[in-house]
Amino acid sequence: MLIRRETPADVDAIRAVHAAAFAKTGDGNDSGDGDGDGDGDGLPVEATLVDALRADDGWLPTYSLVAVDSDGQVVGHVVATRGLVGGEPVALGLGPLGVLPDWQRRGVGSALMHAVLGAADARDEPLVVLLGHPDYYPRFGFGPAVDLGVTPPQPWGPQYFMARPMAAWRDSIRGEFRYARPFDDL
């Protein structure tokens, strides 16, 4: 497996990864980390969210990474976009992160997470935030964002709103977090 930046040729494969990763299963449970709610066309919102993020001012191509297998097939994707804390562009909003079902539980998601966090740290991003499960993301250094003085946007609860301060973190970074605009439409 190789982790690399997204290219224009990857767009359809990325959409397919998120569609498969967040598709509803027959038992009513999601197979991915998201809520699996559709966009009206049968696609999970995560599958179309990345397209909307690409068209937004918050899009940062450096943080759109794919995992590819030995044949070059895209098997996973993660993206981080510009976020604001207290109105200042001092954070990244991470997500969605998706992995094809046949590749889940094989370290692809962890590799993508380490790669995007490494890229953020190397580019002196002070903070990365995400909405996720509090039992899973602490392994990557995430904790409650409110402990850092960063509050979640509504309607998300603070128990799932997590943040990881990076090497460039400053205690003065405080206030309400705002994701890139397409997140407002979820």
Side-chain angles (χ1 to χ4, degrees):
M1 175 182 57
L2 172 74
I3 307 291
R4 63 168 172 75
R5 282 181 57 175
E6 166 189 327
T7 68
D10 297 325
V11 170
D12 290 340
I14 289 168
R15 191 177 309 109
V17 163
H18 291 295
F22 293 94
K24 289 263 189 195
T25 60
D27 62 6
N29 292 320
D30 297 336
S31 59
D33 290 328
D35 61 14
D37 290 339
D39 67 354
D41 294 328
L43 286 176
V45 295
E46 294 84 359
T48 56
L49 175 60
V50 177
D51 292 331
L53 289 169
R54 268 191 209 95
D56 188 76
D57 290 342
W59 180 255
L60 302 168
T62 302
Y63 302 116
S64 183
L65 305 176
V66 294
V68 296
D69 68 9
S70 60
D71 295 326
Q73 176 189 359
V74 174
V75 299
H77 175 256
V78 67
V79 65
T81 51
R82 178 59 59 211
L84 305 175
V85 176
E88 298 295 319
V90 293
L92 296 177
L94 194 144
L97 182 149
V99 177
L100 288 176
D102 288 347
W103 283 82
Q104 291 175 6
R105 304 200 186 305
R106 295 172 61 183
V108 176
S110 291
L112 285 164
M113 183 64 97
H114 287 300
V116 76
L117 290 174
D121 204 36
R123 296 184 58 87
D124 292 325
E125 296 288 351
L127 185 69
V128 178
V129 303
L130 58 77
L131 193 62
H133 200 284
D135 292 335
Y136 181 76
Y137 288 100
R139 73 181 74 184
F140 301 106
F142 286 87
V146 294
D147 290 354
L148 299 172
V150 178
T151 57
Q154 298 302 324
W156 298 303
Q159 70 273 28
Y160 298 106
F161 184 65
M162 307 183 79
R164 179 173 186 228
M166 308 304 283
W169 167 255
R170 301 178 308 279
D171 284 338
S172 61
I173 299 173
R174 297 184 171 277
E176 182 181 39
F177 179 79
R178 298 269 318 160
Y179 279 101
R181 200 166 285 117
F183 282 95
D184 292 340
D185 296 331
L186 296 180

